Amino acid sequence: MSADTADTADTADTGAAFFPHLFSPLRLRGVEVRNRFVFQPHFNALGDVQGMPTDALTAYHEERAWGGAGLIVDGSMATMPEGQMSRKYLAAWDPRSIELNRRTTDAVHAHGATIFAQLNHGGHTSLEHPPPVLWAPTQMPEPSSVHTAKAMDENDMARAVEGFAASTRNLVEAGYDGVEIKIAHDGLLRSFASPFFNRRTDAYGGSFENRMRFPLECVAAVRSELREHMPLGIRICLHEYTPFGYELDYGLRMAEHLEASGYVDYFNCDAGSFSSFWMEIPPAAVAQGFFRPLNQALKAQSDLPVVAFGRIKDADLAEHMVASGEADLIGMARQLIADPETPRKLREGRAAEVRACIGCNDGCLHSVAQEKPIRCVQNPAAGQERLFSERLLVRASEPRSVVVIGGGPAGLKVAEIAARRGHRVSVFERAEHLGGQVRLAARQPHHEEFAEVTHFLEAAVRRLGVEVWTGVDADAESVLDLDPDVVIVATGSQPNLPSTHRQSSTDPDAGTIARRLGLTIGLDVEGLDLDIVMSTDEVLSGVTVPGHHVVVADGQGHWEAAGTAEFLADAGHHVTVVTPRPSIGSELEGTNHAMFMQRVGVKGIEMKPLTHLRRVEPGRVLLVDAVTGNESWLRTDAVVPVYWRRSRDDVYHRLRQIVTETGRDVRVERVGDAAAARVVQSILLEAFQLASEL
């Protein structure tokens, strides 16, 4: 037993008492998995451009093994060069990967976890732009792509089967405990099984049995290379969620056929395709538990163990699913990215300390879709565990007095990490509640889970004994009177409206000092100080928006405009969104943008892309076509301009001035939006880095 395992032994019964089924072992063929938590396979872009595993990849999986996962499925791994969906997809066929993969299997085994590898041939799907040659049963483009595919001949199929076999031999030598084959949301094997993608009339198409022939040949090749005790699983797409694809009845038929072969030891549920990618990795707009009927249907049909999938993050739900026989194991990808310690915390009776995935897809999917290393909004260490793992935090050699001004995400993250390192921390927040802009963002439709960012941090700082003051407007002089060693200014930002706008009466930090010094500028739009101009902060705070017609100007491309427009539409307003960009919400992560655009039509939101807002007048706005320069007027009752936000930094500049003039030995820093307004992912990482070196 490793030291990390031993230190939880005394508390093991705590978690088992509350979650007895989740913490019971399960045997898959000849391999025992210590509990029912499965870190699901996913592309993490942590391989190098030669498809070789890296130290970062090893650390990524080791962190989840240390965190208590029972089974880690490493993948997807490509079975041949033509099957790589990205140059960073691990090249399982390449013998050079064996020793590098062994570093990962050894690291995972050292913490008592089991590790399988998932094999996949990308087929007609790729993340590369432009892609290399794409393989498919029939020459046709995947509907979400403009690139057609090569129709495979028998030589191609023989090479592909051997690729699965050779990859399996390498994985066995590398120390993996089992192998999983992907017949799921992307890849060649699902396209052969799919009636839509497989239009062949030879022995590999036409009938159901013929469509399943090639996938079964690959499965048989993998089984032949595995040792007798090693399990073989299938990640299976049960429902494609497209107008042209197959549905659950066909997915269950596929599973039945695979199970009858005798090669398969477990199923790992899945859904969606590249043409419905918002169902592959569903964002927060897809309810937790949405896919439970699919899990239940497969479990009711199959005698094999089933891994459940689909935004499962609640431990009570997971326990119920296993206890009721709905599933045998619980697949968690994003939840264990957000908090690798989820099983460990539950086992130790620390369920309240679990950091929940918020389903935003901004750090994980958004990064890897661009072939960039995986990241997480909630967890700054994700994908860079060797740099920022919370296990690396050390107590400060000299505890210091740290004052944090601002109780939004940046201030709370600084307070949490600083307190964990032993500093004496106080937080002052002007509002009556902590949370900052996160509280406002969580009021947008389908954003309720976003509030968990600061719910977690607030609970953490209170648990750590941080002194928290709310309803206190801390100025520079009063803060320095506390004789701090360090002052962190995390006062956030405000919509960049003129100082003459009524916003200044309720939010007085109007950037006066910064403007005087030429450190910030206003917007080049006339009339933004008029009464009909509403800030997003006002709208989301519940201030009454006058009239029926509202224009939202999206000069940012993210949720501040898109979500506010949807918020206003839900409140009964007729909303028109204008943007100089080609699309509304153009900076949104792909699954979120796709689902937002679906809702736009339903809610009657009018869109005017490639359009500038030039001037606001009472009752109307002047718009300019970004292509032709033509001007037009649009009647409106209210205008909500969403451009860049301005840092609330008066107190920061005042602090620096006093410290400089008096020569006081006080370190003054600013963090988060108080430095520059950004997305939460960037802010939390910055706050973590700052606090970890105080």
Side-chain angles (χ1 to χ4, degrees):
M1 180 179 292
S2 70
D4 287 313
T5 304
D7 65 15
T8 64
D10 292 340
T11 57
D13 289 340
T14 304
F18 289 105
F19 308 105
H21 294 87
L22 286 178
F23 287 103
S24 61
L26 179 70
R27 182 164 292 275
L28 298 176
R29 202 175 180 95
V31 173
E32 184 170 276
V33 179
R34 64 181 173 182
N35 61 47
R36 308 303 177 93
F37 293 92
V38 179
F39 188 41
Q40 291 280 47
H42 54 280
F43 176 49
N44 49 50
L46 294 175
D48 67 21
V49 293
Q50 303 299 320
M52 292 296 109
T54 62
D55 288 344
L57 177 65
T58 295
Y60 181 70
H61 288 311
E62 182 182 10
E63 191 86 349
R64 277 79 199 166
W66 170 82
L71 171 62
I72 291 171
V73 186
D74 189 359
S76 296
M77 296 187 183
T79 56
M80 60 190 303
E82 293 87 346
Q84 276 188 298
M85 290 177 58
S86 162
R87 295 305 97 187
K88 292 185 176 182
Y89 260 70
L90 297 190
W93 80 85
D94 192 331
R96 294 178 301 164
S97 68
I98 295 173
E99 290 307 312
L100 297 174
N101 277 326
R102 184 175 291 281
R103 296 183 311 189
T104 299
T105 60
D106 286 348
V108 168
H109 288 149
H111 296 286
T114 303
I115 183 167
F116 296 171
Q118 185 190 80
L119 291 177
N120 185 37
H121 187 297
H124 60 242
T125 49
S126 179
L127 295 175
E128 294 193 59
H129 302 283
V133 62
L134 303 173
W135 285 18
T138 300
Q139 186 172 76
M140 59 186 291
E142 207 280 343
S144 66
S145 171
V146 298
H147 300 285
T148 192
K150 172 188 178 183
M152 294 169 62
D153 59 28
E154 291 186 359
N155 289 335
D156 296 327
M157 290 187 224
R159 283 190 58 214
V161 171
E162 174 53 28
F164 275 93
S167 297
T168 304
R169 290 193 293 272
N170 292 341
L171 295 174
V172 171
E173 189 174 346
Y176 288 92
D177 301 302
V179 170
E180 181 175 291
I181 299 173
K182 192 171 190 179
I183 311 179
H185 48 253
D186 52 51
L188 182 64
L189 301 190
R190 194 199 90 249
S191 65
F192 262 88
S194 167
F196 177 80
F197 290 106
N198 186 344
R199 311 293 179 88
R200 303 175 76 102
T201 59
D202 61 6
Y204 292 93
S207 68
F208 172 80
E209 288 73 20
N210 282 357
R211 287 195 296 272
M212 294 297 296
R213 188 185 306 278
F214 177 66
L216 271 175
E217 288 179 357
C218 296
V219 171
V222 170
R223 180 69 264 172
S224 69
E225 299 295 340
L226 289 173
R227 294 169 184 163
E228 176 58 31
H229 73 283
M230 297 177 68
L232 189 159
I234 301 292
R235 186 84 194 265
I236 186 164
C237 176
L238 294 171
H239 195 313
E240 289 187 311
Y241 287 104
T242 61
F244 49 80
Y246 65 77
E247 298 184 356
L248 177 59
D249 57 346
Y250 190 86
L252 292 174
R253 188 181 179 190
M254 289 167 56
E256 182 180 40
H257 193 72
L258 290 162
E259 184 172 349
S261 72
Y263 298 134
V264 181
D265 298 300
Y266 74 90
F267 286 113
N268 192 348
C269 296
D270 189 41
S273 72
F274 261 42
S275 291
S276 57
F277 64 102
W278 51 91
M279 301 303 274
E280 292 183 55
I281 306 100
V286 178
Q288 297 178 65
F290 178 87
F291 298 99
R292 288 177 66 189
L294 275 63
N295 299 317
Q296 293 164 342
L298 180 56
K299 184 58 187 170
Q301 167 185 291
S302 177
D303 292 327
L304 298 178
V306 169
V307 182
F309 83 113
R311 282 211 338 118
I312 305 167
K313 64 179 184 177
D314 181 79
D316 291 322
L317 172 61
E319 172 70 15
H320 170 75
M321 292 173 70
V322 178
S324 64
E326 186 175 323
D328 300 283
L329 299 111
I330 301 297
M332 291 183 174
R334 287 174 290 174
Q335 176 54 39
L336 294 184
I337 296 171
D339 192 342
E341 290 187 71
T342 298
R344 174 184 280 259
K345 289 175 178 177
L346 294 173
R347 186 172 178 83
E348 295 177 359
R350 298 188 289 135
E353 298 180 32
V354 172
R355 183 173 52 226
C357 167
I358 60 175
C360 66
N361 285 349
D362 282 342
C364 51
L365 179 57
H366 201 34
S367 292
V368 302
Q370 303 172 71
E371 301 183 88
K372 297 177 181 178
I374 197 162
R375 296 292 183 259
C376 177
V377 167
Q378 280 277 61
N379 177 15
Q384 42 193 351
E385 283 76 12
R386 291 190 183 276
L387 294 175
F388 304 124
S389 169
E390 293 178 359
R391 290 196 284 156
L392 301 178
L393 288 174
V394 295
R395 301 283 290 185
S397 57
E398 296 182 18
R400 309 176 76 185
S401 171
V402 178
V403 171
V404 179
I405 308 176
L412 290 175
K413 191 65 180 180
V414 167
E416 179 212 6
I417 301 303
R420 289 182 58 178
R421 297 189 59 234
H423 293 300
R424 302 178 302 277
V425 184
S426 300
V427 174
F428 293 89
E429 166 57 43
R430 185 178 65 184
E432 294 297 330
H433 302 281
L434 299 174
Q437 287 177 49
V438 168
R439 289 175 56 83
L440 298 180
R443 295 177 182 176
Q444 295 179 335
H446 307 290
H447 275 66
E448 296 83 358
E449 292 178 59
F450 195 62
E452 294 183 20
V453 172
T454 48
H455 287 168
F456 169 80
L457 291 171
E458 179 175 358
V461 299
R462 294 189 186 279
R463 189 168 56 247
L464 289 164
V466 171
E467 191 176 59
V468 177
W469 298 84
T470 57
V472 176
D473 195 357
D475 58 29
E477 291 77 9
S478 62
V479 166
L480 291 174
D481 285 345
L482 299 174
D483 197 25
D485 300 305
V486 181
V487 179
I488 307 296
V489 178
T491 44
S493 64
Q494 61 183 201
N496 194 13
L497 296 177
S499 58
T500 50
H501 186 268
R502 67 177 170 278
Q503 169 180 266
S504 296
S505 64
T506 57
D507 192 358
D509 187 345
T512 304
I513 298 175
R515 278 203 307 276
R516 188 176 71 241
L517 297 174
L519 303 178
T520 187
I521 62 172
L523 297 172
D524 188 21
V525 177
E526 297 178 39
L528 291 183
D529 56 351
L530 296 178
D531 287 342
I532 70 166
V533 174
M534 309 286 294
S535 73
T536 51
D537 291 8
E538 287 180 306
V539 172
L540 296 173
S541 295
V543 173
T544 300
V545 178
H548 180 60
H549 295 275
V550 181
V551 169
V552 175
D554 179 11
Q556 183 194 76
H558 218 278
W559 277 122
E560 187 173 356
T564 301
E566 195 172 358
F567 177 91
L568 287 163
D570 285 357
H573 295 280
H574 179 270
V575 180
T576 302
V577 185
V578 300
T579 180
R581 298 164 179 260
S583 172
I584 310 303
S586 58
E587 294 298 311
L588 297 180
E589 178 276 326
T591 63
N592 280 286
H593 188 259
M595 298 197 79
F596 169 71
M597 295 302 286
Q598 292 169 18
R599 299 192 299 270
V600 160
V602 173
K603 298 183 179 184
I605 298 174
E606 186 177 353
M607 298 181 291
K608 290 186 177 296
L610 298 175
T611 304
H612 291 281
L613 173 66
R614 175 64 53 81
R615 183 189 308 156
V616 179
E617 293 186 359
R620 65 178 188 168
V621 293
L622 178 63
L623 305 179
V624 179
D625 188 294
V627 178
T628 66
N630 292 336
E631 297 182 348
S632 61
W633 289 95
L634 179 66
R635 185 176 71 82
T636 189
D637 301 306
V639 180
V640 183
V642 185
Y643 295 90
W644 72 87
R645 295 178 67 93
R646 179 176 59 223
S647 295
R648 291 189 184 104
D649 53 12
D650 280 358
V651 69
Y652 169 77
H653 290 297
R654 179 63 179 149
L655 277 165
R656 291 294 301 268
Q657 179 185 11
I658 295 174
V659 168
T660 299
E661 290 174 352
T662 61
R664 294 185 60 165
D665 185 19
V666 180
R667 178 178 175 181
V668 180
E669 300 282 356
R670 54 181 165 172
V671 69
D673 276 10
R678 287 154 289 151
V679 295
V680 172
Q681 177 183 333
S682 173
I683 285 169
L684 292 183
L685 174 59
E686 177 195 21
F688 180 98
Q689 291 174 295
L690 174 60
S692 64
E693 55 88 21
L694 287 178

